[in-house]
Amino acid sequence: GNSVTQMEGPVTLSEEAFLTINCTYTATGYPSLFWYVQYPGEGLQLLLKATKADDKGSNKGFEATYRKETTSFHLEKGSVQVSDSAVYFCALSPDTGGFKTIFGAGTRLFVKA
Amino acid sequence: DAEITQSPRHKITETGRQVTLACHQTWNHNNMFWYRQDLGHGLRLIHYSYGVQDTNKGEVSDGYSVSRSNTEDLPLTLESAASSQTSVYFCASSEAGGGVNEQFFGPGTRLTVL
């Protein structure tokens, strides 16, 4: 079946450090891939997305590339800020069988000043 | 602006009581979803609907029910609340078809069952 595995947190970084959060997936066909972010006390919101192999999604300095050969969609940011502290969810939407989204367990990021 | 709202934002109830959590969206989306979020489990799908009068069970549907009488609302009912249902509940919606199925989330309801 479809599944998403992402690195366990929490991840603690100093401001301006480089961020990588690993995400791998299992799915048949060509799913769409997403990163959602959840700030404290709020619901999830879409951070970026990619719909086909080798696509790069980007937003607010974050990037992720859809790698079909390694079934990965790792999230990166070159210089994190305190305001990036949040929980990050990797997710996929299968290309068949309805409109459900499968979420990873989430990775909490703490950025220290 | 279109939005998705949930009420109440916080609820404390007792074991055995019936509880209904409201979800209302003004995106005019056909697809609506209910999730619960618990530490160590991420988001788990409870029920979902692809349109009026359509409802489907998700992976953790036992003890929950939903009904869809219009496009805007998908209330979630806990028929007899249990302590294991203490959680944060999120409602989400998305467009039907047409490419990438981005979901839009409400702010969540924190439910405590004593």
Side-chain angles (χ1 to χ4, degrees):
Chain A
N2 299 310
S3 66
V4 175
T5 303
Q6 59 183 107
M7 63 188 288
E8 286 190 31
V11 174
T12 302
L13 296 173
S14 297
E15 209 165 23
E16 300 184 3
F18 185 86
L19 169 70
T20 300
I21 301 178
N22 290 334
C23 171
T24 58
Y25 68 90
T26 301
T28 55
Y30 300 89
S32 296
L33 301 177
F34 308 85
W35 278 99
Y36 285 82
V37 59
Q38 183 182 30
Y39 298 104
E42 298 183 8
L44 281 69
Q45 55 186 273
L46 182 69
L47 179 60
L48 54 83
K49 62 190 178 191
T51 59
K52 61 182 188 295
D54 300 324
D55 264 4
K56 178 184 283 188
S58 62
N59 186 26
K60 301 181 181 179
F62 291 90
E63 294 183 339
T65 301
Y66 190 143
R67 301 286 189 201
K68 191 156 179 65
E69 63 277 12
T70 55
T71 62
S72 65
F73 192 56
H74 305 321
L75 182 68
E76 296 182 336
K77 186 175 185 183
S79 176
V80 294
Q81 305 301 311
V82 171
S83 58
D84 293 327
S85 298
V87 181
Y88 293 82
F89 291 88
C90 186
L92 71 84
S93 180
D95 60 351
T96 59
F99 306 105
K100 290 187 283 185
T101 297
I102 292 89
F103 291 88
T107 302
R108 184 174 295 275
L109 171 66
F110 292 105
V111 180
K112 303 179 296 184
Chain B
D1 285 349
E3 61 178 354
I4 179 165
T5 57
Q6 294 183 234
S7 62
R9 294 294 312 278
H10 301 271
K11 173 80 175 175
I12 300 174
T13 191
E14 295 177 344
T15 302
R17 291 193 180 263
Q18 184 180 80
V19 177
T20 296
L21 309 183
C23 174
H24 179 81
Q25 53 99 1
T26 58
W27 291 98
N28 200 34
H29 287 160
N30 281 327
N31 304 333
M32 295 185 73
F33 307 85
W34 273 105
Y35 298 91
R36 59 178 289 173
Q37 184 178 28
D38 304 287
L39 204 60
H41 290 278
L43 287 173
R44 291 185 288 175
L45 183 63
I46 304 171
H47 281 286
Y48 59 101
S49 167
Y50 290 157
V52 176
Q53 303 301 332
D54 176 74
T55 62
N56 306 279
K57 294 181 178 181
E59 60 180 305
V60 290
S61 60
D62 286 350
Y64 303 94
S65 63
V66 294
S67 61
R68 186 90 180 271
S69 58
N70 59 50
T71 300
E72 296 80 19
D73 299 290
L74 187 70
L76 177 72
T77 298
L78 288 66
E79 291 128 16
S80 177
S83 57
S84 60
Q85 295 176 308
T86 293
S87 186
V88 181
Y89 291 87
F90 289 99
C91 181
S93 70
S94 71
E95 283 190 64
V100 181
N101 297 317
E102 173 187 354
Q103 294 196 1
F104 296 82
F105 282 80
T109 295
R110 182 174 295 276
L111 176 68
T112 303
V113 182
L114 301 176

